[in-house]
Amino acid sequence: RVVAFSWNGSARTESWRTVEQSGYLADFGLADIDNDGVMELVSIIQKKSSGLFSKPRSQIVVYELN
């Protein structure tokens, strides 16, 4: 999960949060991934493997920042 905080002058308050994803948050950043002029939060999630011989999988998740 990614949580954004803002400073109101005396304390920080939560502005927004993403939904909790299963797996490991490998990286995240801000980018205009769909080229619409608005920045999105882009995160890379690594999922655990389910079997003995299966490989872990990665997933790109994009959140609109409205």
Side-chain angles (χ1 to χ4, degrees), residues 29-36 38-42 62-63 65:
L30 295 174
D32 183 12
I33 197 163
D34 56 2
N35 208 17
D36 64 352
V38 179
M39 299 295 269
E40 289 87 24
L41 175 67
V42 182
V62 179
Y63 299 98
L65 300 176

Side-chain angles (χ1 to χ4, degrees), residues 6 14-16 19-20 25 36-37 42 47 49 57-58 62:
S6 61
E14 185 178 316
S15 299
W16 52 265
V19 296
E20 192 163 332
L25 177 63
D36 64 352
V42 182
K47 304 282 186 170
S49 58
R57 301 181 78 184
S58 296
V62 179

Side-chain angles (χ1 to χ4, degrees), residues 38-57:
V38 179
M39 299 295 269
E40 289 87 24
L41 175 67
V42 182
S43 60
I44 301 172
I45 310 292
Q46 184 175 14
K47 304 282 186 170
K48 295 180 183 177
S49 58
S50 59
L52 182 61
F53 296 107
S54 60
K55 295 180 181 179
R57 301 181 78 184

Side-chain angles (χ1 to χ4, degrees), residues 9-25:
S10 61
R12 64 182 181 165
T13 57
E14 185 178 316
S15 299
W16 52 265
R17 70 173 54 199
T18 63
V19 296
E20 192 163 332
Q21 298 282 337
S22 63
Y24 170 72
L25 177 63

